[in-house]
Amino acid sequence: MTRRYWNINLEEMMEAGVHFGHGTRKWNPKMAPYISAKRKGIHITNLTRTARFLSEACDLVFDAASRGKQFLIVGTKNKAADSVEWAAIRARCHYVNKKWLGGMLTNWSTTETRLHKFRDLRMEQKTGRLNRLPKRDAAMLKRQLSRLQTYLGGIKYMTGVPDIVIIVDQHEEYTALRECITLGIPTICLTDTNCDPDLADISIPANDDAISSIRLILNKLVFAICEGALLPWKIIQLPHGELAAPTNDINTTVALALLTSVAYFYAGLTKKGLGYFGKYIQPTPILLPINILEDFTKPLSLSFRLFGNILADELVVVVLVSLVPLVVPIPVMLLGLFTSGIQALIFATLAAAYIGESMEGHH
């Protein structure tokens, strides 16, 4: 597993209170290697170890997300519920933040049956079928739907047991942890000083009571999941060097336009000499600089319109790469290259006509 840099800052963790543990009377001796000191009857977690294991956890979820694995975040206590829901929605993974129902994973067939029932009731509510039932039956089904939404709302799209489970509080979610151990599902746990670090595959020694601490740890994990999920879309990259996209260097576009303008005036001066500027003083000499500037900027205006069209083509390709499978944008990219070539040909033709106009002496 490749190690990456996840911008884990010790000062940031201290500000979030990640280092605060439980009282010295409530601790697990197995957490001794992760404790650095005692302050006012409270154990202080070694943040260097925290940063190390958090980095390992980020590497694990990054690799798993890049392979399309499914995640489940579990945190049912009040302090963690909102943070768990926010993190799961951001990372587009499943979550449980109200109550862990016993056997949710080990008895997956029953959970799956409940999920089917939940989806059916939601569909009936959306289509308005519940409102057409007798009031008593409708009220009973709505209460059932509300209860299912509370306990299963975070896993309503889960089609099987998850590949990795992230647990916020080991003590609070001990049942969930035991089910993961039974099924052999890898787990990542926030372990406070009163927890057993040997139960989880990766234990992150951290304060699991402070909202800021929970949010910081989840934020790092969610960022790694999002980065890993985007990895498959980075396979198609724009070419570099001479084949690079025109929008990679706007200087080329401006240089071509300026070269066309210089060639335009050079052709006129070669043909007629200084008398070439006689047409610019019509109908009055005051308009001389304005007329010259107008002719000088025509190719520049044309080049920027061409640049905008090519940029729009590239943006279309980027959106398609982001929203659809990788196979589909390939012919679109070829079509975009063909379109860019046609536009470049049009620009060259207009530039040649522009210079030819100057040589013929027409305005």
Side-chain angles (χ1 to χ4, degrees), residues 181-211:
I181 294 173
T182 301
L183 296 175
I185 300 174
T187 54
I188 299 173
C189 281
L190 271 72
T191 55
D192 212 327
T193 55
N194 62 339
C195 299
D196 184 355
D198 297 336
L199 294 179
D201 292 273
I202 295 182
S203 293
I204 304 173
N207 184 357
D208 60 10
D209 293 319
I211 297 176

Side-chain angles (χ1 to χ4, degrees), residues 123-136:
M123 184 59 65
E124 290 181 4
Q125 185 184 44
K126 289 182 179 180
T127 56
R129 292 179 59 186
L130 290 182
N131 297 329
R132 295 194 292 268
L133 296 174
K135 289 186 178 180
R136 182 178 179 181

Side-chain angles (χ1 to χ4, degrees), residues 73 82-95 222 226:
I73 304 178
D82 293 338
S83 299
V84 165
E85 183 178 3
W86 167 83
I89 292 174
R90 184 182 170 192
R92 296 185 179 182
C93 56
H94 315 292
Y95 67 94
V222 164
C226 293

